[in-house]
Amino acid sequence: MPLYAEGILWYLLLIDCLIYNVLAWKRKQTHWASDHVPVTRLLGLFYLIATLWLGFALLRLQIILFR
């Protein structure tokens, strides 16, 4: 199975999305970038949906594989 740069970037984006959502759903935690980018649940949900949508597109192109 070859590794593509798009697949590696998507996995990094997924990790970032999961970290963002953990911070968004726990109210007492903040992030160093929260002064510039608000950490809200709605934005976290949108980020998760957009990341999954991109992942499904890459999966259909067989760039990322789950085995």
Side-chain angles (χ1 to χ4, degrees):
M1 174 175 78
L3 282 175
Y4 296 102
E6 294 89 356
I8 294 170
L9 289 175
W10 183 78
Y11 285 117
L12 291 174
L13 187 70
L14 180 65
I15 291 169
D16 181 59
C17 176
L18 294 176
I19 291 171
Y20 183 90
N21 275 296
V22 166
L23 290 175
W25 289 93
K26 291 188 176 188
R27 293 217 177 242
K28 293 184 181 180
Q29 293 185 359
T30 59
H31 191 262
W32 63 270
S34 61
D35 295 335
H36 308 290
V37 178
V39 182
T40 63
R41 292 179 181 179
L42 183 63
L43 190 59
L45 185 63
F46 175 73
Y47 188 25
L48 181 65
I49 290 170
T51 303
L52 291 176
W53 180 45
L54 178 65
F56 286 131
L58 291 174
L59 184 66
R60 290 183 66 196
L61 291 171
Q62 296 180 350
I63 293 177
I64 58 172
L65 298 173
F66 293 105
R67 287 186 188 217

